[in-house]
Amino acid sequence: MSYRTLGKTGVKVSQLTLGAMNFGSRSGALSDHDEAISIIHHAFDSGINIVDTADSYSQGESEEIVGKAIKGRRDDVIVATKFHSQWSDGINTRGSSRRWIFQEVENSLRRLDTDYIDLYQQHKPDPEVDISETVGALDDLVRQGKIRYYGTTTNEPHLLVEAQWAAARDGRSKPATEQAPYSILARGAERAVFPVAQKYDLGVLTWSPLAGGWLSGRHVEGSEAPASARAARIPARHDPTLPINRTKRELAIKLGDIARDAGLTLPELAVAFVLNHPAVSSVLVGPRTRQHLDSLLAVPEIVLDESILDAIDEVVPPGITVNRADEGWIPPWLTSDTEGRRRVRPYRPTAVLAGA
C-alpha cells in the first residue's frame, strides 16, 4: 500500500480509505457485525490505515461497528466520521450549529468507543448557520482534544474559501480537508474544488469512485440494465429508465472498452483514474465483501499512461459531471419549492454526448 500526506497535517494516509457506509442493518448491504469487522481488519492488515464513517450511517450502527474493529489498534488507524445529517425526530438534532456539534461529537465518541476522533467532517454545507459558528465550535473541539482535525464534505469552492478566511479572521484552526464526489462520470470537482484545495493545502478525500455502481463493470453492451436496490431509494442517480442515467450506462460501456484494452477491469480503471489527480490524497472504497476489497488493493500501484487518460477524456471531458444528482449536494436555492424557485434538472452536456 502506498501513502500520501493529508494536506498540510503531516499525517500519512493510505491511498485507499475504507468507507464504512455499507456496514449496519440499515445499509442494505452488510448487517452482520462480525463479517463487517473482519473486512475492516483485513483492510488494516493490507495496509489501509484510515476508515471513514458517519453518525447517520445505519443510524449510528456503522460507527459502533468501527468502534469494535479498532479495539487494540487505535493508535495505528485514522478514524474519520461526520456530523450534520438528521436521523432522529428532534428539531435541533441536525446541522452545523455549535449546540448540535457539541452534542453529536459526544455521541460519536461513545459509539466509536474512543477518546478522540482523528478527522471530524461536516457532512453537508449548512446555509442556515454562520460559518464562524461552525468553525469556532470545531476549533474548540480541537483545543479540547476531542478531535485532531476537522474538514468538510461536498462543499462548493466558495464555501471552502469562506471557511479558510473565517478561521484566519477569528484566530481559529483552519479546516484541514475536503471530501468530494469524484469519478470519471462526475468530474465537476476538477473545475474549482480541486484547485481551491491545492491553493489552501487541503487534504482531499474522494467518494463514489465507481459512480454509485455505474462503473462496477455490470453494464455490458447488448444486455439489460441490471436491477439495483438504489434505484428505488435514489432514483435521480440510479433509475436506469431516466434518460440521463441511460446516458451514464452508455458511457460506462465505452469506459469498459477502454479498461479492457488497457488490461484492467473497469473498477480498477475508475479508481486508478481518481488517484491519478494530484489533488487527491485518498479515495474511499466501500466494499460489501472481502472479495470486493481484495479486487482494489493493488490499484494504487497502477499507472495510467497519457493515451488511456486521453481516451477517458474523449468519453467524459475534464470538469464535466454527467448527472448533477451525482454532485452530492445541490444548493437549496436551486431546488423547487412552493414559492416556485428554480429547480435544477439533470443535463446532457453536448461534449459528453457527442460520441454516445
Side-chain angles (χ1 to χ4, degrees), residues 246-248 250-251 254 314-315 348-356:
R246 287 202 297 269
T247 297
K248 290 200 298 188
E250 294 166 6
L251 298 175
K254 290 179 179 293
E314 287 294 320
V315 178
R348 296 165 66 87
T350 303
V352 170
L353 298 177

Side-chain angles (χ1 to χ4, degrees), residues 27-181:
S27 69
L30 184 56
S31 60
D32 185 275
H33 285 210
D34 289 339
E35 187 175 353
I37 292 169
S38 175
I39 292 173
I40 297 172
H41 285 170
H42 181 52
F44 293 160
D45 293 341
S46 301
I48 292 176
N49 72 342
I50 175 170
V51 57
D52 178 90
T53 182
D55 60 353
S56 58
Y57 294 165
S58 287
Q59 294 193 348
E61 189 179 355
S62 174
E63 286 186 328
E64 293 173 356
I65 291 171
V66 171
K68 295 175 184 177
I70 63 175
K71 286 285 189 184
R73 301 178 182 237
R74 184 65 187 92
D75 292 341
D76 300 321
V77 298
I78 297 158
V79 176
T81 191
K82 312 179 194 76
F83 67 92
H84 174 81
S85 302
Q86 182 163 8
W87 48 276
S88 65
D89 295 331
I91 192 171
N92 286 311
T93 55
R94 61 162 299 280
S96 301
S97 68
R98 170 178 288 268
R99 182 182 189 278
W100 177 238
I101 290 171
F102 274 38
Q103 180 178 338
E104 187 60 354
V105 73
E106 299 295 342
N107 293 332
S108 287
L109 288 168
R110 172 178 48 79
R111 288 188 292 261
L112 290 164
D113 194 18
T114 185
D115 295 329
Y116 66 96
I117 294 165
D118 294 284
L119 177 61
Y120 201 41
Q121 303 158 103
Q122 181 192 34
H123 210 157
K124 304 285 183 183
D126 191 344
E128 296 183 348
V129 181
D130 188 286
I131 189 64
S132 291
E133 165 137 344
T134 301
V135 166
L138 292 166
D139 175 65
D140 284 344
L141 292 180
V142 171
R143 294 169 188 268
Q144 293 170 16
K146 294 181 178 180
I147 66 176
R148 297 294 188 254
Y149 307 96
Y150 70 93
T152 53
T153 304
T154 65
N155 265 17
E156 295 192 332
H158 71 278
L159 297 176
L160 296 176
V161 174
E162 185 179 358
Q164 292 291 313
W165 278 89
R169 180 191 63 221
D170 299 340
R172 300 287 193 169
S173 58
K174 299 176 181 178
T177 62
E178 162 63 6
Q179 188 177 137

